[in-house]
Amino acid sequence: MTLFKSILFFFLIVSMNRVLSSPPDDIVKCTSGNTHCTVTNAYGLFPDRSTCRASQVLYPTTEQEIISMVASASKSNTKVKAVTRYSHSVPKLACSGGQDGILISTNNLNRTVKVDVESRRMTVESGVVLKDLISEAAKNGLTLPYTPYWWGITVGGLLATGAHGSSLWQKGSAVHEYVVSMRIVTPATAEEGYAKVRSLSESDEELDAAKVSLGVLGIVSQVTLQLEPMFKRGVTYVSKNDSDLEEQMIHFGKEHEFGDITWNPYQKEALYRADNRVPMEQPGNGFFDFFPFRSTPAEALASFRSTEEDIEATGDANGRCEAAKFLTGILKNSAFGLTNNGKRFTGYPVIGPSNQMQSSGTCLSNHLEDGKFTACAWDPELAHQIFYQTASSISLSKVPSFIEDVKKLIELEPQALCGLEYNGGIIMRYVKASSAYLGKTEDAIDFDITYFRSRDPLTPRLFEDFLEEIEQMALFKYGGLPHWGKNRNIAFIEAIKKYPNADKFLSVKNKYDPQGIFSNEWTDQVLGLKEGMTILKDGCALEGLCICSEDRHCAPSKKYFCRPGKVYKEARVCALEVETNSKDEL
Ligand SMILES: *[C@@H]1O[C@H](CO)[C@@H](O)[C@H](O)[C@H]1NC(C)=O
Ligand SMILES: *[C@@H]1O[C@H](CO)[C@@H](O)[C@H](O)[C@H]1NC(C)=O
């Protein structure tokens, strides 16, 4: 019962609106003024646990200042990289190459440049945070119809990584599909003054490179987005058993404009979020304030983490399944954070204006009060929540077979995936094929999971092998495209070969930045220009830095050995083998 108590405690506190927090620290930290800096991500932990260094960080306030900064870097062939306010990308996209590189922060490039109500277009600087974009649009009677679910990301950052919401309608759920023009500062020749602004519109093919660029083309200064007149949405969560999930998924996405599905395989449950446009006249001022994105007191986060650490340490698979069930129950009872009027949930459907119904993240904006420290759950100041986030999208035609394979795997060991359910389940969102060179190549479903990461890189996880098999199955058997801003290293192995237009992307990169000052080791590896994506060392498979090929890549001293997958035999996973003593008996 202590387990349940601590979870209940967590939720009671999170649900009290009075809890206020301090915004996260800047992710760039410098020892003297703005020089001798380190940079990490919002979680304080890159996939390889390294910290990146830079000689200095610059804070341009105008496009003119970006030009002179890029010119000076280009002239001296110095590495440079844009960093965003909170840096929510998991992989090392925020690092400038080497130790002597320069970071250009977009923190002060956060103005709305223009709102054209007639054409429903809005121009913003690249450092504008999604939350502010959404609310500024709403003030003008406009809305960005499809958005990522977490609003603490900047326009420049979310475009660079191809971030998306969930939809198979219109041009799909990725924000980059709604970019009509952008201005990007790139290096240039000496005659041109070493840097220049490239203004790209829909008729420029190069926009297909710039829309999703991993930040390697230059610094985006402004983006113009096509919006729509404000509309309302009606949301109903429906829980069903998962026996026909593979048949339902495609149909459901076509039926509901903003639908998504959360799958809890141990509980044999699929939670369908039926989410559709409704007429503006329908009453309702619904508001979505997703529980996990609310500010949470440090002690509640500590208890949530220690519960999971205890489960891992004692191998209490059953305990975790029960805890996951309990947690899902609380989430369902509280409508996941939906309220009908901003205060209380009184029943489905919840109807509200589009800007209040999808993205959330109140943990970012609340402020410290009562001397009680509260934060976003992953705040590195607390170092409580350390997790992996694995996300890849599988084309619609292959989704049913993938689901069947996962079901086969679970049949072998029903409790194996409770760790996912404890962390929110398997979240499935719809995305459409894109003209962006590094965008999705086919209509697809993005599978997103969050799961326990040990503080000690050499400690295996409970049911390590099941999760590794699913990860490899999604990526290699079903050709899943990794989310550029999430994942462990292995997701990017040969990923670039899955993009038929990768060469077009690279030729734009060569044209814009022939010296590669905006590239770092990581982006070179992702783009297939450099070896080293896989880091072979003891325990590397545990951290997703390699696919195991020898036992030492797992944890042989803890009886985790490199073995084939159970359903996807080509997978190589770290599996626990308990000795049976049969040899001794013979
Ligand atoms: C823009 O950033 C500055 C400095 O980081 C901050 O003080 C200001 O409130 C921000 N403006 C908006 C609209 O977010
Ligand atoms: C799942 O639900 C369907 C109806 O939606 C029902 O026919 C079926 O028997 C259920 N399966 C299980 C295993 O409960």
Side-chain angles (χ1 to χ4, degrees):
M1 278 322 276
T2 46
L3 181 68
F4 291 167
K5 259 191 216 149
S6 69
I7 293 169
L8 192 57
F9 170 66
F10 173 77
F11 273 93
L12 281 177
I13 294 179
V14 176
S15 33
M16 295 190 303
N17 292 329
R18 281 182 293 103
V19 174
L20 300 169
S21 75
S22 62
D25 271 3
D26 201 325
I27 48 126
V28 180
K29 297 212 163 46
C30 304
T31 50
S32 51
N34 288 338
T35 65
H36 299 96
C37 309
T38 59
V39 61
T40 173
N41 56 20
Y43 322 96
L45 200 61
F46 282 127
D48 64 358
R49 299 189 186 235
S50 66
T51 300
C52 291
R53 291 180 191 286
S55 65
Q56 61 175 323
V57 57
L58 303 172
Y59 293 91
T61 55
T62 61
E63 187 177 84
Q64 204 49 48
E65 286 179 13
I66 309 177
I67 296 171
S68 71
M69 289 166 188
V70 172
S72 128
S74 157
K75 189 174 179 187
S76 59
N77 198 10
T78 303
K79 290 282 190 182
V80 58
K81 198 79 176 162
V83 284
T84 60
R85 184 174 295 268
Y86 306 117
S87 188
H88 277 92
S89 285
V90 175
K92 293 161 78 173
L93 293 173
C95 305
S96 57
Q99 310 239 335
D100 306 320
I102 293 170
L103 300 170
I104 295 185
S105 166
T106 59
N107 276 10
N108 296 335
L109 296 165
N110 61 349
R111 284 167 293 235
T112 299
V113 179
K114 190 178 171 199
V115 185
D116 183 340
V117 175
E118 202 143 305
S119 67
R120 297 155 189 162
R121 288 181 173 183
M122 185 164 159
T123 303
V124 295
E125 292 181 324
S126 67
V128 164
V129 175
L130 179 59
K131 169 183 188 281
D132 298 325
L133 170 74
I134 291 170
S135 70
E136 197 58 34
K139 280 183 204 152
N140 291 281
L142 298 172
T143 187
L144 180 63
Y146 312 103
T147 58
Y149 290 10
W150 163 246
W151 70 24
I153 48 183
T154 64
V155 171
L158 71 88
L159 290 177
T161 53
H164 57 86
S166 183
S167 190
L168 287 177
W169 291 31
Q170 299 202 54
K171 292 184 189 168
S173 59
V175 179
H176 56 78
E177 294 304 302
Y178 303 90
V179 171
V180 289
S181 62
M182 63 200 281
R183 293 171 68 82
I184 179 166
V185 180
T186 71
T189 61
E191 298 77 58
E192 292 170 308
Y194 295 101
K196 68 175 178 192
V197 184
R198 296 175 191 263
S199 178
L200 304 172
S201 68
E202 278 176 300
S203 55
D204 294 303
E205 261 186 53
E206 289 167 6
L207 188 62
D208 285 328
K211 282 194 295 199
V212 184
S213 71
L214 309 183
V216 299
L217 300 183
I219 308 278
V220 175
S221 77
Q222 289 182 11
V223 177
T224 303
L225 291 161
Q226 183 66 56
L227 310 180
E228 288 189 38
M230 180 61 72
F231 54 83
K232 278 187 170 174
R233 289 162 57 162
V235 178
T236 301
Y237 276 97
V238 181
S239 163
K240 292 190 180 157
N241 72 42
D242 68 359
S243 55
D244 61 350
L245 179 63
E246 53 273 51
E247 290 126 58
Q248 288 299 325
M249 288 179 75
I250 295 167
H251 170 71
F252 185 78
K254 293 187 173 155
E255 189 99 324
H256 302 282
E257 182 173 2
F258 309 97
D260 68 30
I261 308 172
T262 303
W263 184 21
N264 290 316
Y266 170 73
Q267 300 171 63
K268 296 197 180 300
E269 172 185 64
L271 277 164
Y272 294 85
R273 176 175 164 126
D275 185 341
N276 295 290
R277 278 177 206 239
V278 299
M280 272 306 270
E281 302 77 62
Q282 282 212 20
N285 189 26
F287 186 78
F288 183 50
D289 185 5
F290 189 44
F291 267 114
F293 298 165
R294 293 185 183 186
S295 55
T296 312
E299 61 273 40
L301 291 168
S303 111
F304 190 73
R305 173 72 186 189
S306 67
T307 300
E308 205 170 16
E309 280 183 350
D310 289 349
I311 288 167
E312 284 284 335
T314 56
D316 183 10
N318 194 48
R320 175 142 66 187
C321 292
E322 290 306 308
K325 232 157 116 179
F326 186 74
L327 244 165
T328 313
I330 293 178
L331 274 173
K332 280 197 286 192
N333 285 334
S334 57
F336 302 86
L338 275 169
T339 53
N340 299 72
N341 57 4
K343 291 194 178 72
R344 287 185 58 227
F345 173 68
T346 49
Y348 291 123
V350 175
I351 292 168
S354 155
N355 62 307
Q356 297 179 183
M357 298 297 282
Q358 178 151 304
S359 286
S360 65
T362 50
C363 64
L364 270 184
S365 41
N366 294 330
H367 296 286
L368 191 69
E369 204 181 61
D370 310 342
K372 198 180 225 175
F373 185 57
T374 77
C376 293
W378 50 87
D379 194 313
E381 288 288 297
L382 302 173
H384 289 316
Q385 303 311 87
I386 317 180
F387 49 82
Y388 294 113
Q389 207 170 32
T390 291
S392 64
S393 45
I394 295 177
S395 47
L396 290 185
S397 59
K398 296 179 186 162
V399 161
S401 315
F402 173 65
I403 299 283
E404 281 165 24
D405 274 359
V406 175
K407 283 183 171 177
K408 276 182 212 156
L409 203 50
I410 299 162
E411 258 167 49
L412 300 174
E413 184 46 83
Q415 296 185 329
L417 300 190
C418 289
L420 303 186
E421 296 181 24
Y422 187 77
N423 287 285
I426 303 178
I427 297 165
M428 309 191 279
R429 294 187 293 166
Y430 300 91
V431 273
K432 278 186 87 168
S434 171
S435 62
Y437 298 149
L438 300 184
K440 301 302 176 195
T441 56
E442 291 180 87
D443 293 357
I445 292 177
D446 177 82
F447 293 83
D448 198 322
I449 53 177
T450 300
Y451 50 106
F452 185 85
R453 182 176 191 178
S454 172
R455 259 173 239 286
D456 169 15
L458 297 176
T459 301
R461 285 164 282 120
L462 213 49
F463 300 115
E464 170 91 35
D465 47 344
F466 284 81
L467 284 178
E468 284 187 31
E469 185 167 344
I470 291 173
E471 184 180 32
Q472 291 176 37
M473 201 146 70
L475 293 165
F476 307 119
K477 182 171 178 187
Y478 292 106
L481 301 178
H483 190 305
W484 297 120
K486 299 182 179 179
N487 286 300
R488 318 193 303 162
N489 282 29
I490 71 151
F492 300 95
I493 296 174
E494 309 221 316
I496 197 65
K497 296 192 175 155
K498 298 173 186 171
Y499 294 81
N501 289 320
D503 54 338
K504 288 190 187 161
F505 181 82
L506 291 177
S507 65
V508 175
K509 173 170 134 50
N510 279 336
K511 178 176 169 188
Y512 284 16
D513 181 20
Q515 301 175 103
I517 59 172
F518 283 98
S519 296
N520 63 25
E521 190 179 38
W522 173 253
T523 61
D524 280 346
Q525 289 165 347
V526 169
L527 294 171
L529 305 173
K530 199 177 214 168
E531 300 282 302
M533 172 70 63
T534 287
I535 302 171
L536 284 179
K537 59 178 185 182
D538 288 357
C540 57
L542 304 175
E543 290 263 282
L545 299 173
C546 70
I547 295 173
C548 71
S549 53
E550 297 170 38
D551 288 336
R552 70 179 185 92
H553 298 151
C554 297
S557 66
K558 299 187 169 98
K559 303 202 170 11
Y560 279 75
F561 304 99
C562 186
R563 294 288 180 260
K566 296 170 190 63
V567 170
Y568 174 43
K569 307 281 184 207
E570 288 80 2
R572 288 293 174 274
V573 300
C574 297
L576 175 64
E577 264 175 28
V578 188
E579 284 161 51
T580 56
N581 288 329
S582 55
K583 272 189 213 132
D584 300 351
E585 280 158 24
L586 287 170

